[in-house]
Amino acid sequence: MLAVTVVKGDLRWQRRPDPVAGDTELLVAVRAAGVNMADLNQRRGLYPEQHLETLDIPGLEFAGEVIGVGRQVTRFQVGDRVMAIVSGGAQATLAVVDEVHALPVPSTLSWAEAGGFPEAYSTAYDALWSQAGLTLGERVLVTGASGGVGTAGLQLAAAMGANVVASTRTAAHRERLRQLGAQGVIDPRAIADNGPYDVVLELVGAASLPSALGALADEGRVVVIGGVGGTEVVVDFLGLMRCRGRISASTLRHRDRHGKGEVVLGVARHVLPALAAGHLQVQVSSTFSMRDASVAYDHFASTGKLGKIVLLT
Ligand SMILES: NC(=O)c1ccc[n+]([C@@H]2O[C@H](COP(=O)([O-])OP(=O)(O)OC[C@H]3O[C@@H](n4cnc5c(N)ncnc54)[C@H](OP(=O)(O)O)[C@@H]3O)[C@@H](O)[C@H]2O)c1
């Protein structure tokens, strides 16, 4: 197969041995793979991979056609269109994934949309639903709302009946974020003045967390998912105690097979039907040929994108 590989901080498009599906795994001809911050961190040498066979191949999500199945696979068959989260190795022409981490691709989705769906929607769903326990009518702040996880999170929160406030530094994105379901779109500098928030989906980190904490509603919950704006802050616990607030934080990548499978099952039950019906969209900012991954990564790191960057094989 051909794969994006990290070689001393550079990306190369190189031949690698074809992967082989284990008993519970699917072998997939990859058509599209989303780019995530973790891939950029891996290029910088900050994110050591867990799987030896994909040690130098980045990519946490992909979509493609099943071309082989392990002996114990029951949910999928050769020819199925699938999309999946993995712990690495997605940015290649072939990938393997445990069947419990794969989802069927609705017929309405393009390959680019399917390749940009799994990581962003699984992360946002898990944070809002499982960790924050979002309920009908609550007020939700989504920081970094222009990004892949942000555009997914604000749509999910709106679909769950929340009143969503989205923060973005890019004024040109405001109208689109409203179309996707945000009732209010604000500059991050206005976070403190636009509370109170019952739930905060914190995708930026230190650059916005203090303002969000200061505007937390009673019993408010903050779920920290990203630290693109810094990972260290001073927290005023008195303020948090006064509103009986909670802060939690999580990653998908570091969960075990069962933990990730639970999230994927939840997405299959609660999110896929709305996606297939067209009530949720995968906002794709731009696509690049997978062999041009380096250009795509640079684009990911630049300002002004709206949604996912996706590589196509
Ligand atoms: N925990 C997990 O399992 C998990 C999974 C996926 C992603 N993540 C993390 O979640 C975060 C969002 O991911 P993503 O894929 O949505 O990233 P993304 O597409 O790059 O979106 C992040 C958005 O945040 C805004 N932003 C960037 N730097 C900022 C700064 N210094 N201050 C304020 N705003 C800033 C940008 O929008 P504007 O410039 O328009 O404001 C950007 O579009 C990342 O930190 C990523 O590492 C975590």
Side-chain angles (χ1 to χ4, degrees), residues 37 119 123 146-149 168-170 203 225-226 250-252 305:
M37 183 58 77
E119 179 74 11
T123 299
S146 299
V149 182
T168 177
R169 299 175 300 184
T170 314
L203 302 174
I225 293 299
S250 109
T251 67
L252 262 191
K305 66 183 190 296

Side-chain angles (χ1 to χ4, degrees), residues 3-298:
V4 177
T5 51
V6 180
V7 183
K8 293 181 183 161
D10 278 337
L11 295 184
R12 307 253 172 86
W13 182 238
Q14 289 183 325
R15 287 214 170 273
R16 278 285 184 277
D18 290 356
V20 177
D23 285 351
T24 62
E25 290 181 330
L26 314 174
L27 175 64
V28 179
V30 176
R31 301 291 293 269
V35 176
N36 288 282
M37 183 58 77
D39 307 329
L40 276 71
N41 289 339
Q42 189 172 340
R43 179 172 68 167
R44 294 166 60 206
L46 297 180
Y47 236 104
E49 230 343 286
Q50 297 157 359
H51 293 279
L52 286 178
E53 67 273 22
T54 58
L55 189 64
D56 58 349
I57 305 174
L60 299 181
E61 59 182 343
F62 66 80
E65 283 160 338
V66 178
I67 58 170
V69 295
R71 285 180 306 161
Q72 291 169 24
V73 166
T74 57
R75 300 183 186 184
F76 298 98
Q77 57 189 17
V78 169
D80 284 350
R81 279 170 26 113
V82 294
M83 51 191 179
I85 51 171
V86 285
S87 296
Q91 293 169 9
T93 53
L94 294 175
V96 289
V97 61
D98 197 297
E99 67 166 340
V100 299
H101 301 153
L103 295 159
V105 177
S107 60
T108 47
L109 247 62
S110 67
W111 283 120
E113 290 167 328
F117 172 84
E119 179 74 11
Y121 267 93
S122 301
T123 299
Y125 163 78
D126 181 66
L128 291 167
W129 181 267
S130 307
Q131 294 184 57
L134 179 63
T135 59
L136 205 65
E138 288 197 304
R139 198 148 184 277
V140 177
L141 170 69
V142 179
T143 66
S146 299
V149 182
T151 50
L154 80 85
Q155 290 181 76
L156 278 178
M160 291 178 197
N163 174 337
V164 182
V165 177
S167 76
T168 177
R169 299 175 300 184
T170 314
H173 294 160
R174 289 182 172 206
E175 185 49 36
R176 180 61 182 151
L177 297 182
R178 276 196 200 92
Q179 287 170 1
L180 290 176
Q183 291 190 18
V185 184
I186 59 173
D187 185 274
R189 286 169 296 194
I191 287 174
D193 296 332
N194 277 275
Y197 310 110
D198 299 298
V199 168
V200 177
L201 181 59
E202 182 51 83
L203 302 174
V204 170
S208 55
L209 186 59
S211 319
L213 282 174
L216 211 52
D218 284 352
E219 315 272 343
R221 290 89 73 204
V222 179
V223 186
V224 182
I225 293 299
V228 69
T231 54
E232 291 180 14
V233 288
V234 174
V235 174
D236 168 19
F237 281 113
L238 278 181
L240 201 59
M241 286 152 68
R242 260 183 237 117
C243 71
R244 302 177 305 287
R246 288 199 330 246
I247 307 175
S248 62
S250 109
T251 67
L252 262 191
R253 186 182 211 182
H254 299 97
R255 295 187 203 183
D256 63 13
R257 174 180 188 261
H258 177 73
K260 274 191 203 165
E262 290 275 291
V263 177
V264 172
L265 193 62
V267 171
R269 282 193 185 141
H270 301 296
V271 182
L272 264 195
L275 180 72
H279 302 316
L280 299 170
Q281 282 151 46
V282 182
Q283 178 73 37
V284 176
S285 180
S286 47
T287 60
F288 295 83
S289 167
M290 197 174 276
R291 64 177 61 237
D292 298 326
S294 189
V295 182
Y297 281 32
D298 291 343

